[in-house]
Amino acid sequence: SVPLAFFSGIGAGSKKGILFKSGASLEALHDIKCVAMDKTGTLTLGNFVVQDITAETGMDADTLLSITASAEAHSTHPIAVSIVTAAKEKGLSLVAPTALEEKAGMGIVATFEGKTVLCGNEKLMADQAITMPTQQTAIGSVVYVAVNGAYAGSIRVADTIKPEATATISALKNRGLTTAMMTGDNLQTAELTAQTLGLDDVRGNLLPTDKVDGLLELREKHGAILYIGDGINDAPVLAGADVGGAMGSGADAAIEVADVVFMTSDLSTVDNAIDIANKTHTIVR
Ligand code: ADP
Ligand code: MG
């Protein structure tokens, strides 16, 4: 039978917008040693804004933006949404691709008007054998663009750290928990975010399967893991974590496999959830 205290714990959670899917998830949450989190949409708001556009000679910034937005128009990725928004704000017209492939953790390959357009990160460019200019240091995520096999320029987008994130990370650390970030974004942006928040461990440039490897490493090092994420790319690692936590604003696939759902997407409810789990444990004992 389910101890009565679990019902009260689940009830206390629901008052704060925390959905515990079972009593077992409350007990598992009490035992965690490390909180590992996705960056985009979990530690940050996931609202990217285009910062600057750098077009190669022979192409102007508006053309680069409209080509990229045409390729990104069908993607729900927050980076894609920001690029389409910027193009629409400038009144640029978009073209519907005749062929389209979204490569998870990398970007888009689209075909329209006799052009094959690639837009995504360094991994996509390397995967498609695009010769890139020498890398520059940039704050934010950079979307590189290539047209018909030739590098065409880049669009830099930036996201904002959630206002409650810093306080939540210190609350978790005060509980003696190790804090970590695992992201598909570039290592530079990952490290800057981790430094700002005071995270203990940071891993970037990760594909969905790399996040699972990272989880196993963190578990080996620190013990039971609460992993929190919001994307389709987080589903495998959420399923593998000792406790999987999903943001309410996240993808259905993430919410489905999670043990706990943070309905309001407010990071401070993560600390509330651990508090409820610890109090429930004391009562059950
Ligand atoms: P995160 O773990 O930060 O949520 P994702 O796995 O969703 O990241 O994406 C990882 C990286 O892949 C992004 O930072 C971006 O560089 C690239 N990427 C993914 N989808 C797209 C897209 N539609 N357009 C451009 N870049 C993309
Ligand atoms: Mg994400």
Side-chain angles (χ1 to χ4, degrees):
S1 73
V2 180
L4 202 58
F6 283 140
F7 287 109
S8 94
I10 289 168
S14 79
K15 286 195 191 108
K16 291 201 177 282
I18 303 159
L19 172 65
F20 293 106
K21 292 203 187 157
S22 70
S25 59
L26 269 166
E27 190 61 15
L29 192 57
H30 163 77
D31 292 329
I32 59 150
K33 298 287 182 281
C34 170
V35 183
M37 289 154 283
D38 166 50
K39 180 176 71 68
T40 313
T42 301
L43 289 167
T44 70
L45 293 171
N47 297 329
F48 285 88
V49 176
V50 171
Q51 306 292 314
D52 42 62
I53 301 169
T54 312
E56 286 290 276
T57 29
M59 186 174 292
D60 62 273
D62 279 359
T63 308
L64 183 70
L65 181 59
S66 84
I67 287 174
T68 312
S70 297
E72 293 278 20
H74 289 278
S75 172
T76 57
H77 197 284
I79 291 177
V81 173
S82 73
I83 289 172
V84 174
T85 302
K88 286 188 176 155
E89 277 171 5
K90 287 195 163 190
L92 302 173
S93 55
L94 306 190
V95 180
T98 48
L100 190 71
E101 189 190 350
E102 183 149 17
K103 292 176 168 280
M106 294 209 272
I108 304 277
V109 181
T111 310
F112 50 89
E113 294 182 330
K115 293 190 278 278
T116 297
V117 177
L118 310 172
C119 45
N121 54 21
E122 289 166 14
K123 259 186 208 148
L124 180 72
M125 296 297 134
D127 184 68
Q128 306 285 314
I130 302 298
T131 311
M132 301 261 291
T134 333
Q135 296 303 303
Q136 289 152 356
T137 328
I139 305 296
S141 305
V142 180
V143 176
Y144 298 101
V145 186
V147 179
N148 288 339
Y151 181 75
S154 63
I155 299 176
R156 188 171 65 87
V157 298
D159 192 4
T160 315
I161 292 175
K162 287 184 181 175
E164 73 280 14
T166 307
T168 304
I169 299 305
S170 32
L172 296 174
K173 288 168 85 169
N174 285 340
R175 291 185 183 280
L177 297 168
T178 301
T179 56
M181 180 169 86
M182 294 205 280
T183 178
D185 206 346
N186 69 72
L187 202 56
Q188 239 168 278
T189 305
E191 276 171 352
L192 185 75
T193 309
Q195 206 180 347
T196 306
L197 293 172
L199 297 171
D200 301 307
D201 188 296
V202 52
R203 289 144 201 259
N205 264 322
L206 305 180
L207 290 174
T209 52
D210 298 331
K211 288 196 181 193
V212 177
D213 294 341
L215 173 85
L216 298 177
E217 275 175 37
L218 286 170
R219 185 190 280 143
E220 184 80 30
K221 236 176 158 175
H222 304 292
I225 313 280
L226 162 64
Y227 181 82
I228 308 167
D230 74 326
I232 299 170
N233 60 327
D234 294 309
V237 61
L238 282 169
D242 299 272
V243 182
M247 289 292 150
S249 59
D252 290 347
I255 290 170
E256 257 165 49
V257 297
D259 305 295
V260 189
V261 185
F262 304 102
M263 301 304 290
T264 62
S265 301
D266 180 330
L267 212 56
S268 66
T269 61
V270 172
D271 190 60
N272 297 147
I274 296 169
D275 193 50
I276 292 167
N278 291 347
K279 285 182 175 141
T280 305
H281 178 81
T282 311
I283 299 166
V284 173
R285 235 170 19 122

